[in-house]
Amino acid sequence: MELLLLSDEVLAVVVPIVVYWAYCGLHAMLGQSRYLTKYRLHPSSHEDSKNHVSKRQVISNVLTLQIVQVATVTMVMTMFKGASSSAKTTSYLKFASQILVGMVWFDLWQFGTHRILHANRFLYRNLHSWHHRLVVTYSFGALYGHPLESFVTDTVGGTTAFLVSGMSPRASIFFFSLCTVKVIDNHCGMSLLPSWDRISIFNNAAYHDVHHQLRGGNCNYSQLFFVVWDRIFGTYMPFLIEEDKQGMLHVRAPGLDYRRPSNKLQ
């Protein structure tokens, strides 16, 4: 019996959104736990004092963007309805290869669009600066941004990853849920595994925090999974995760001082 009697196409639309808010809720609870406070990269009070947009506005924006995504994904899944019937006979190797191809394509797409949005001053001011209103990132602000940027970067990028990889609607449930979890992890503002995060093989909250603190700089454009694109194109910024006398974590990088107030939007 299909889960909740829903088709794979419907689940591909619904599950990633459920995952988004459930996982955001989990991170929000972890961030407020007195046992895990020391793993925060910024004090929780900075989410309001340093950011240029309220949490109410962020939630409203993300919900609006998700409505657009639902409409687009529904249309795409309708076009490919029935493709999931072959998923039952798909080998695990083929399934894994499709997910990997989708990850690489989507990751490169997001890196490229992200870098263009920073390189072009008009695009940055009018589109991408929305996302950088969040100087101190948190989980449910992971998707916050200008609707046009979101459509091109996330919706179009995700749709082309689905098409290029040849994955079925069933496989896309896992793929888009994985992407959702990763983008939240990168914006959660916590480094639960500091030693692993220092390695910087995969993107993480500390790595992406450097990008947000430099506010429109020319480094650490990687968005989802891999930091290899920054290394290939010379935009990788090394960083350190330090622990202060109070046991709190802070991210240090050349030109970045977490103690200074944030600059105005560029």
Side-chain angles (χ1 to χ4, degrees):
M1 180 181 292
E2 297 288 349
L3 180 62
L4 297 179
L5 300 179
L6 297 177
S7 67
D8 291 343
E9 291 80 9
V10 173
L11 290 174
V13 176
V14 174
V15 171
I17 293 179
V18 173
V19 169
Y20 184 85
W21 292 108
Y23 198 53
C24 283
L26 174 61
H27 267 294
M29 288 190 294
L30 292 176
Q32 297 303 317
S33 170
R34 62 189 180 91
Y35 300 105
L36 299 177
T37 300
K38 65 179 182 179
Y39 295 106
R40 293 185 62 97
L41 300 176
H42 301 273
S44 59
S45 60
H46 286 185
E47 293 178 1
D48 295 316
S49 64
K50 285 195 172 186
N51 288 339
H52 301 266
V53 60
S54 71
K55 290 179 179 177
R56 181 187 295 271
Q57 290 172 307
V58 168
I59 292 175
S60 176
N61 171 268
V62 172
L63 287 172
T64 300
L65 299 181
Q66 288 179 330
I67 290 174
V68 175
Q69 290 177 2
V70 165
T72 304
V73 175
T74 299
M75 180 179 65
V76 173
M77 290 301 167
T78 299
M79 295 172 57
F80 288 86
K81 187 173 179 59
S84 59
S85 60
S86 62
K88 298 178 181 179
T89 59
T90 299
S91 67
Y92 289 114
L93 180 60
K94 183 176 182 181
F95 177 87
S97 65
Q98 290 173 338
I99 297 295
L100 180 60
V101 169
M103 289 172 62
V104 173
W105 174 272
F106 200 14
D107 215 45
L108 182 57
W109 177 282
Q110 291 221 333
F111 172 84
T113 56
H114 191 193
R115 188 172 184 182
I116 290 171
L117 288 166
H118 275 277
N120 186 292
R121 194 170 184 82
F122 175 83
L123 293 178
Y124 181 82
R125 279 188 173 276
N126 292 280
L127 298 181
H128 193 55
S129 64
W130 280 40
H131 185 64
H132 279 273
R133 292 171 183 172
L134 293 175
V135 182
V136 176
T137 59
Y138 47 80
S139 58
F140 57 85
L143 294 181
Y144 174 77
H146 192 284
L148 181 57
E149 176 189 348
S150 174
F151 181 77
V152 173
T153 303
D154 299 325
T155 307
V156 174
T159 299
T160 54
F162 170 76
L163 298 175
V164 168
S165 65
M167 69 179 72
S168 66
R170 180 168 298 180
S172 74
I173 299 172
F174 297 93
F175 173 68
F176 289 118
S177 295
L178 175 63
C179 292
T180 298
V181 167
K182 196 67 185 75
V183 73
I184 293 172
D185 280 341
N186 295 345
H187 288 84
C188 70
M190 298 182 68
S191 181
L192 296 175
L193 298 171
S195 297
W196 173 261
D197 288 349
R198 290 187 184 99
I199 300 175
S200 251
I201 297 175
F202 297 103
N203 205 345
N204 55 63
Y207 186 89
H208 197 60
D209 184 72
V210 173
H211 177 76
H212 272 263
Q213 296 308 304
L214 291 178
R215 310 297 305 287
N218 57 351
C219 68
N220 294 15
Y221 295 124
S222 295
Q223 291 273 72
L224 282 176
F225 300 104
F226 313 110
V227 303
V228 64
W229 314 117
D230 282 309
R231 293 183 181 276
I232 291 174
F233 294 100
T235 54
Y236 174 79
M237 172 71 75
F239 65 92
L240 296 174
I241 303 176
E242 297 182 338
E243 185 175 310
D244 63 19
K245 295 179 180 179
Q246 288 73 42
M248 300 291 291
L249 297 179
H250 300 284
V251 180
R252 283 197 178 278
L256 169 63
D257 188 344
Y258 63 85
R259 295 165 298 184
R260 292 164 53 186
S262 60
N263 298 321
K264 295 180 179 180
L265 289 174
Q266 295 189 6

